[in-house]
Amino acid sequence: NAGVTQTPKFQVLKTGQSMTLQCAQDMNHNSMYWYRQDPGMGLRLIYYSASEGTTDKGEVPNGYNVSRLNKREFSLRLESAAPSQTSVYFCASSADRGRLGYTFGSGTRLTVV
Amino acid sequence: QKEVEQDPGPLSVPEGAIVSLNCTYSNSAFQYFMWYRQYSRKGPELLMYTYSSGNKEDGRFTAQVDKSSKYISLFIRDSQPSDSATYLCAMSGETSGSRLTFGEGTQLTVNP
């Protein structure tokens, strides 16, 4: 009964370092998403994968890359972290093209110093 | 202008009050409407789901959609301190693909 699992939960990076945020879901959902959440900005879509084998840019894709490894896993990579990428990152998944809503993970709190 | 507008609050009410949370939207193609609840330092969780216009009730929670006014509401009756959270509206339509458009969220505090 895990739902959407994100790792790590917390991370501190130095400017210029790289890292990959991992996300896995066990609900057999087709679609997966990466959001960032910042005070006063709400949830902003970074990238999404409507189905296995496809990925598309969202509202704020610059500085990020994604990989839909298989139906269960969707990773987000920061190649060269910047302080502007300090945020809380949420992964989500959905069935039925999101019409019945998303299931979110518990988030990754990332600080770039 | 944002597609979905939601007053961020904060909103503070006494325990037992009726709470009204609202969102307005501009895209007339939206047909699927949701409310999420997000506790501090947690991920959003789906609270209510409504298709097209009308009302939906689940315990102390009622979701209303008025498509003619492009306005959705969430009412919480007999509010409890455990309802203290941020509430986000979200919506999509046939042309949205699998993407939801979220409001910014309203921060609610229910005081004992």
Side-chain angles (χ1 to χ4, degrees):
Chain A
N1 199 26
V4 178
T5 302
Q6 289 184 239
T7 55
K9 294 190 182 305
F10 303 93
Q11 185 71 50
V12 178
L13 288 179
K14 294 182 179 179
T15 298
Q17 286 185 320
S18 62
M19 79 162 294
T20 300
L21 282 64
Q22 306 287 353
C23 175
Q25 52 92 8
D26 61 2
M27 296 168 288
N28 202 35
H29 285 170
N30 288 321
S31 303
M32 298 185 73
Y33 315 82
W34 277 104
Y35 283 87
R36 59 179 290 174
Q37 188 175 39
D38 304 286
M41 305 293 288
L43 284 164
R44 291 185 291 169
L45 182 64
I46 304 171
Y47 271 94
Y48 68 103
S49 172
S51 61
E52 186 179 357
T54 68
T55 59
D56 286 286
K57 295 178 180 179
E59 185 183 353
V60 288
N62 291 344
Y64 305 95
N65 283 301
V66 290
S67 296
R68 183 75 183 265
L69 304 171
N70 47 55
K71 191 171 185 178
R72 290 187 63 248
E73 298 173 287
F74 189 39
S75 63
L76 178 71
R77 183 162 178 83
L78 287 71
E79 290 291 353
S80 179
S84 61
Q85 294 177 305
T86 294
S87 187
V88 181
Y89 291 85
F90 289 102
C91 177
S93 69
S94 73
D96 193 26
R97 300 176 66 195
R99 293 170 188 175
L100 298 180
Y102 296 173
T103 300
F104 281 87
S106 57
T108 295
R109 291 185 171 273
L110 175 67
T111 301
V112 182
V113 298
Chain B
Q1 186 181 359
K2 295 179 181 177
E3 263 191 310
V4 178
E5 297 280 357
Q6 184 177 9
D7 186 341
L11 182 62
S12 182
V13 302
E15 183 174 354
I18 297 174
V19 176
S20 173
L21 304 167
N22 311 295
C23 289
T24 59
Y25 62 95
S26 58
N27 189 341
S28 58
F30 286 151
Q31 295 178 289
Y32 306 94
F33 303 94
M34 293 143 226
W35 286 95
Y36 285 81
R37 178 175 62 195
Q38 185 176 20
Y39 290 116
S40 180
R41 296 184 173 268
K42 301 289 186 182
E45 57 177 336
L46 184 63
L47 191 60
M48 297 283 286
Y49 164 86
T50 310
Y51 171 69
S52 194
S53 286
N55 294 358
K56 185 173 184 178
E57 188 172 323
D58 184 2
R60 297 184 294 109
F61 298 89
T62 299
Q64 284 186 351
V65 175
D66 182 348
K67 289 190 70 179
S68 62
S69 301
K70 298 189 180 66
Y71 189 87
I72 70 170
S73 301
L74 178 70
F75 297 96
I76 307 174
R77 291 184 300 279
D78 187 25
S79 56
Q80 302 296 309
S82 58
D83 296 327
S84 298
T86 296
Y87 291 81
L88 301 99
C89 62
M91 48 198 79
S92 70
E94 295 296 338
T95 59
S96 303
S98 57
R99 291 172 294 172
L100 292 179
T101 301
F102 285 87
E104 187 180 332
T106 301
Q107 184 180 345
L108 171 68
T109 300
V110 180
N111 300 299

